[in-house]
Amino acid sequence: SGLITHINTSFEQYLVDNKKNVFPRFSNTDADGVWRGEEFIRLIKNESQGDCLIAGLKKSIQKNNVDGINLDIENLKPDDREILNDWLVKLVHSFHENGLAVTIDLPVNDNAFDYEFIGTIVDRVVLMAYDEHYAGWLPGPIASKEWFENAIEETLQKIPKHKLIVALGNYAYDWTIGSDKPAKPMGFADAMML
């Protein structure tokens, strides 16, 4: 139904005043935080709607006088790769012609994303090196040492080192043993109190 923006202007101003790069995050979530992969792909698959989204994003970025955009596109299928790639090429070109950078968050080992291709066109890739186990799955570590190291090693074979940023999970999940309900997400401080 349109772009929903939540901008903490005082924090944004703090970052600008302290000469920090600012990249507002754009995600394909709805107002309730539900990932809308199918709807997002349907939108960008339509060339005029995809172009309109790019124009709207760029206009918002320029209006807020920030350095670029961070894309967090999730809940896609492997069949969506080419559609996403085509749209990304257009978005990156549009942003770069105005001196704006593009970063994208990518999960670990997700066949819906062409890591090598994406790594060649965007300015930075933020590897979401967490959720080895997640709320709706079996209990376990968010990022065990071996899983984490393998994730980075495999990603570096696809994305140039100078473009890779590794994001860490600073949170926890609380699973109830014997329950089939998703785990309860917890902040770091709450997890340390368990």
Side-chain angles (χ1 to χ4, degrees), residues 131-143 171-186 194:
D131 275 353
E132 173 185 6
H133 295 87
Y134 50 90
W137 201 51
L138 299 173
I142 289 174
Y171 59 93
Y173 293 117
D174 185 13
W175 285 273
T176 301
I177 303 296
S179 173
D180 60 352
K181 293 184 180 176
K184 177 182 142 196
M186 303 176 72
L194 288 177

Side-chain angles (χ1 to χ4, degrees), residues 53-64:
L53 177 59
I54 291 169
L57 291 171
K58 187 163 86 169
K59 182 178 179 182
S60 179
I61 295 300
Q62 290 174 317
K63 175 184 166 198
N64 288 288

Side-chain angles (χ1 to χ4, degrees), residues 106-113 115 127-128 147 150-152 154-155 158:
L106 294 179
V108 171
N109 294 327
D110 187 329
N111 291 330
F113 300 95
Y115 292 78
L127 180 67
M128 298 183 289
W147 180 87
N150 288 339
I152 293 172
E154 290 174 22
T155 303
K158 301 171 188 171

Side-chain angles (χ1 to χ4, degrees), residues 83-121:
I83 297 165
L84 178 66
N85 288 350
D86 292 345
W87 183 78
L88 282 174
V89 167
K90 289 177 156 185
L91 181 134
V92 169
H93 176 73
S94 177
F95 273 57
H96 282 178
E97 70 185 12
N98 291 98
L100 300 168
V102 177
T103 68
I104 188 168
D105 302 344
L106 294 179
V108 171
N109 294 327
D110 187 329
N111 291 330
F113 300 95
D114 185 341
Y115 292 78
E116 290 178 14
F117 179 78
I118 291 171
T120 64
I121 61 168

Side-chain angles (χ1 to χ4, degrees), residues 39-74:
E39 293 89 341
F40 177 75
I41 290 299
R42 192 169 45 246
L43 174 78
I44 66 170
K45 190 175 183 178
N46 178 304
E47 189 172 356
S48 64
Q49 290 177 349
D51 291 348
C52 185
L53 177 59
I54 291 169
L57 291 171
K58 187 163 86 169
K59 182 178 179 182
S60 179
I61 295 300
Q62 290 174 317
K63 175 184 166 198
N64 288 288
N65 197 31
V66 294
D67 302 286
I69 193 166
N70 170 256
L71 304 171
D72 188 1
I73 310 298
E74 299 188 33

